Amino acid sequence: MTQQPSHSPQFFLTAPSPCPYLAGQYERKVFTHLVGDKAMELNDILTQGGFRRSQNIAYRPACETCRACVSVRILAQQFQPTKNMKRVLKTNADLIGEERGPEPSSEQYSLFRAYLDVRHRGGGMSDMTMLDYAMMVEDSHVSTRVIEYRLRGPDSFVTGKGEGELIAVALTDEMSDGLSMVYSFYNPELERRSLGSYLILDHIRRAQARGLPHVYLGYWVNGSKKMGYKIRYQPQEHLGPNGWVKFTPTLQVR
């Protein structure tokens, strides 16, 4: 019998649990650990194969009776914003995002709690403590950045930093072929700004500036209204049985 090399990743399967997106469905995940000096290379390969990262774990759905979860990546270099997206960019032109290392702060956590309490009350992350949040940010063996968004200040064009209250945060992995949006949150009271959309648009601009072809958005769940926003950003590719294929929406994307 051939023995697997000790440095090869081992994959595990979770037990079935109720799906948080589709009523009456049960989800299972296959996962592996991202550790050691090959973690970044492995994260690239697995993300390109439809996995997502959470701390030092890479996972993807492995549901027995459902295939609604579809990996999505935006073709950043071909992207052109719609009229509505241009309005979002204009509305948030007074914000600047500062890239930092994966270093949590109490200010980030306060914003994180406010976001969860309004947007995801009772969800799987609703009872996360400051220590849990710190682990979410710090526990990474890959190239991870925290982007803090604040209002532009008089010296922002020199310092590259915003000033004042923290408005939004994005936890983002830097990959060989793009940026992967691991998790983001923002001030839920600033609905006029459409901050969720703005963070995606800003990541597209960052990928374009670096010459990177993709922005990975995670999973679009076919049939889940809360995940419908992910197919607005065109052109994009979906991962299927034959690899990444360009997706054509059936409805007009505004």
Side-chain angles (χ1 to χ4, degrees):
M1 182 175 67
T2 303
Q3 194 167 22
Q4 191 178 41
S6 59
H7 62 269
S8 297
Q10 291 183 301
F11 292 86
F12 307 90
L13 189 64
T14 66
S17 61
C19 176
Y21 300 108
L22 299 177
Q25 295 288 349
Y26 284 82
E27 68 171 1
R28 299 188 78 177
K29 295 185 177 76
V30 59
F31 68 94
T32 191
H33 296 276
L34 295 169
V35 294
D37 57 1
K38 297 293 185 181
M40 289 179 59
E41 179 183 350
L42 181 59
N43 188 47
D44 270 22
I45 293 170
L46 292 178
T47 301
Q48 292 161 7
F51 279 72
R52 291 287 285 166
R53 185 182 72 81
S54 177
Q55 295 178 226
N56 65 357
I57 297 290
Y59 69 91
R60 68 170 297 170
C63 307
E64 296 176 354
T65 61
C66 180
R67 296 293 182 269
C69 292
V70 180
S71 295
V72 173
R73 67 185 186 188
I74 301 166
L75 299 175
Q77 301 302 324
Q78 302 174 37
F79 175 81
Q80 294 291 333
T82 65
K83 289 183 179 179
N84 183 60
M85 292 173 186
K86 289 178 181 178
R87 284 194 291 269
V88 172
L89 289 169
K90 184 177 181 180
T91 299
N92 292 285
D94 57 346
L95 299 183
I96 187 168
E98 178 195 356
E99 291 195 23
R100 307 165 61 93
E103 301 167 357
S105 69
S106 57
E107 187 182 24
Q108 292 171 17
Y109 179 68
S110 295
L111 182 62
F112 176 70
R113 285 266 25 123
Y115 174 79
L116 291 181
D117 290 345
V118 173
R119 291 300 185 98
H120 299 286
R121 183 184 296 274
M125 303 174 74
S126 60
D127 59 351
M128 286 180 64
T129 65
M130 177 64 193
L131 179 59
D132 295 327
Y133 173 76
M135 290 294 291
M136 182 177 79
V137 174
E138 293 178 331
D139 194 5
S140 170
H141 292 255
V142 304
S143 181
T144 303
R145 306 295 291 171
V146 170
I147 308 175
E148 292 189 343
Y149 295 85
R150 303 175 189 269
L151 290 174
R152 291 181 179 273
D155 298 326
S156 290
F157 70 97
V158 175
T159 64
K161 300 178 181 180
E163 295 182 2
E165 179 186 1
L166 185 64
I167 290 176
V169 174
L171 181 62
T172 303
D173 285 352
E174 299 175 319
M175 299 170 46
S176 62
D177 72 330
L179 301 176
S180 178
M181 298 185 69
V182 177
Y183 195 76
S184 58
F185 53 94
Y186 47 85
N187 187 330
E189 297 180 357
L190 302 178
E191 293 186 13
R192 180 187 67 85
R193 287 184 175 270
S194 300
L195 288 168
S197 296
Y198 173 71
L199 294 181
I200 295 174
L201 294 169
D202 184 65
H203 277 69
I204 295 171
R205 293 195 300 190
R206 289 172 185 269
Q208 290 172 339
R210 299 178 191 185
L212 296 171
H214 305 122
V215 172
Y216 288 84
L217 290 186
Y219 303 114
W220 168 58
V221 184
N222 193 0
S224 171
K225 288 185 178 180
K226 68 169 65 174
M227 288 295 184
Y229 71 92
K230 293 191 177 184
I231 58 173
R232 297 175 190 161
Y233 304 89
Q234 300 291 329
Q236 64 181 229
E237 293 179 327
H238 290 188
L239 183 60
N242 299 316
W244 290 96
V245 177
K246 198 167 184 178
F247 172 75
T248 303
T250 56
L251 297 177
Q252 183 71 28
V253 180
R254 295 183 296 173

